[in-house]
């Protein structure tokens, strides 16, 4: 009979309630929190409760004999193994234990105490997924964006979402122009300021246009390369941004405050 079968039978051991012998709690198993500086004991020592490095046939026979004795219920534990098994089955030693966090755990709690709860989905990333989506296949678009972000993280070694946010912030234009009718032969071009979502939409479109000029057959690879180029200031969208700003500055006399 194997040792594990003998241990599995311990759950069915009937132990009498009136125990006269008692072992100090700090000598039992699972109470390693009392001796924090002690060296970790081997697995055999934790199972047997003795200072042993291996299990012998005599130890197995002694355990089986102690299990049979305790299963009878009418005999008090006498040997060292019987006393150990009898004390091992007491649940009070495990119920009375209190969790004491370490200094590092307390510092981590203080660090994340004021942190906001993250959203289930990032709105800007979902906006980018909607820009890429074709024919209503949103799951496919999410897969492409996830693979692109994974490649960005491998290439830059940074958080891909932060890299994407920084690329949108650098690439997005501040102004745009629109044509207004004056009722005469010549219309006028009025510069207008763009909000955050409009700026991101221009940047996303330019990233998508730049990725279409790449040679890789995988869209995720092309998107990753263009996001990195926008993050490093080498995207073709910066030329379009400069032209938009130049035209807005030219027509600044029509700017409305």
């Amino acid at each position: 009979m194997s040792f594990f079968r003998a241990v599995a039978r311990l759950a069915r051991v009937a132990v009498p309630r009136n125990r006269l012998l008692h072992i100090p709690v700090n000598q039992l198993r699972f109470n390693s929190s009392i001796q924090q500086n002690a060296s970790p004991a081997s697995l055999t020592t934790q199972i047997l409760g003795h200072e042993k490095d291996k299990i012998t046939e005599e130890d197995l026979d002694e355990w089986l004999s102690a299990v049979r004795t305790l299963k009878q219920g009418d005999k008090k534990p006498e040997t060292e193994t019987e006393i150990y098994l009898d004390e091992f089955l007491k649940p009070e030693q495990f119920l009375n234990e209190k969790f004491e966090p370490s200094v590092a755990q307390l510092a981590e709690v203080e660090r994340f105490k004021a942190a906001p709860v993250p959203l289930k989905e990032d709105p800007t990333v979902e906006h980018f997924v909607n820009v890429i989506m074709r024919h209503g296949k949103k799951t496919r678009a999410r897969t492409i964006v996830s693979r692109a972000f994974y490649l960005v993280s491998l290439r830059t070694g940074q958080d891909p979402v932060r890299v994407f946010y920084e690329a949108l912030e650098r690439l997005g234009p501040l102004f745009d122009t629109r044509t207004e009718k004056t009722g005469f032969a010549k219309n006028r071009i009025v510069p207008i300021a763009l909000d955050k979502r409009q700026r991101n939409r221009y940047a996303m479109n330019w990233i998508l246009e730049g990725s279409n000029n790449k040679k890789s057959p995988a869209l995720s690879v092309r998107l990753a390369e263009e996001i990195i180029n926008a993050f490093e200031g080498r995207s073709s969208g910066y030329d379009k941004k400069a032209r938009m700003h130049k035209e807005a500055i030219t027509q600044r006399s029509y700017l409305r405050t």
Side-chain angles (χ1 to χ4, degrees):
M1 184 180 295
S2 64
F3 173 73
F4 297 101
R5 292 181 180 178
V7 176
R9 292 182 177 180
L10 297 180
R12 300 190 297 269
V13 174
V15 182
R17 296 183 177 273
N18 49 353
R19 299 177 176 89
L20 298 179
L21 298 176
H22 181 69
I23 293 180
V25 178
N26 56 4
Q27 298 180 3
L28 297 179
R29 187 185 172 192
F30 300 131
N31 290 328
S32 59
S33 59
I34 299 178
Q35 301 177 355
Q36 297 181 355
N37 298 328
S39 59
S42 63
L43 181 60
T44 305
T45 305
Q46 295 179 16
I47 294 176
L48 292 179
H50 311 294
E51 295 297 333
K52 296 184 178 180
D53 295 333
K54 62 181 180 178
I55 302 175
T56 61
E57 293 293 336
E58 291 77 7
D59 296 331
L60 183 58
D61 295 338
E62 186 178 359
W63 270 63
L64 293 176
S65 177
V67 169
R68 296 191 191 97
T69 302
L70 294 178
K71 285 183 66 176
Q72 295 177 3
D74 55 351
K75 185 178 180 182
K76 298 179 182 180
E78 297 178 354
T79 63
E80 184 179 359
T81 305
E82 293 177 359
I83 295 174
Y84 176 77
L85 292 177
D86 181 59
E87 292 292 334
F88 181 79
L89 295 177
K90 292 181 180 180
E92 292 81 6
Q93 56 174 324
F94 307 107
L95 298 178
N96 295 332
E97 289 183 350
K98 293 184 179 180
F99 173 74
E100 296 181 1
S102 61
V103 179
Q105 292 173 339
L106 293 176
E108 186 176 2
V109 170
E110 292 295 331
R111 184 163 57 92
F112 288 101
K113 182 179 295 184
V117 179
L119 300 176
K120 183 179 180 180
E121 297 178 352
D122 191 277
T124 305
V125 177
E126 286 297 314
H127 188 190
F128 189 50
V129 170
N130 294 334
V131 172
I132 296 176
M133 182 178 59
R134 295 293 182 271
H135 307 292
K137 298 181 180 180
K138 195 166 186 177
T139 303
R140 181 181 179 184
R142 284 178 176 172
T143 303
I144 293 173
V145 173
S146 299
R147 291 177 179 175
F149 282 1
Y150 176 70
L151 295 176
V152 170
S153 65
L154 292 180
R155 179 71 178 274
T156 61
Q158 303 180 24
D159 186 3
V161 178
R162 292 184 179 274
V163 173
F164 179 66
Y165 267 89
E166 187 67 24
L168 295 182
E169 184 68 24
R170 298 178 182 178
L171 188 58
L174 299 177
F175 299 96
D176 194 7
T177 57
R178 67 181 181 184
T179 303
E180 288 187 355
K181 294 183 178 180
T182 59
F184 301 97
K186 185 179 180 181
N187 298 330
R188 61 185 178 188
I189 300 176
V190 179
I192 57 174
L194 300 178
D195 57 13
K196 185 67 175 179
R197 185 176 179 84
Q198 293 172 338
R199 293 180 58 198
N200 291 342
R201 183 56 185 262
Y202 273 105
M204 292 175 187
N205 289 335
W206 291 341
I207 289 176
L208 188 58
E209 291 176 5
S211 64
N212 293 331
N213 299 327
K214 304 294 181 181
K215 296 182 180 180
S216 177
L219 179 57
S220 58
V221 178
R222 300 198 303 266
L223 281 176
E225 293 178 357
E226 190 62 25
I227 290 174
I228 295 175
N229 291 339
F231 177 72
E232 297 177 351
R234 295 183 286 106
S235 176
S236 59
Y238 286 100
D239 297 334
K240 302 176 182 178
K241 175 183 178 180
R243 288 196 296 267
M244 290 180 62
H245 285 183
K246 183 178 180 180
E247 185 178 2
I249 293 173
T250 304
Q251 304 296 333
R252 64 182 178 274
S253 59
Y254 299 110
L255 182 63
R256 298 177 180 177
T257 58

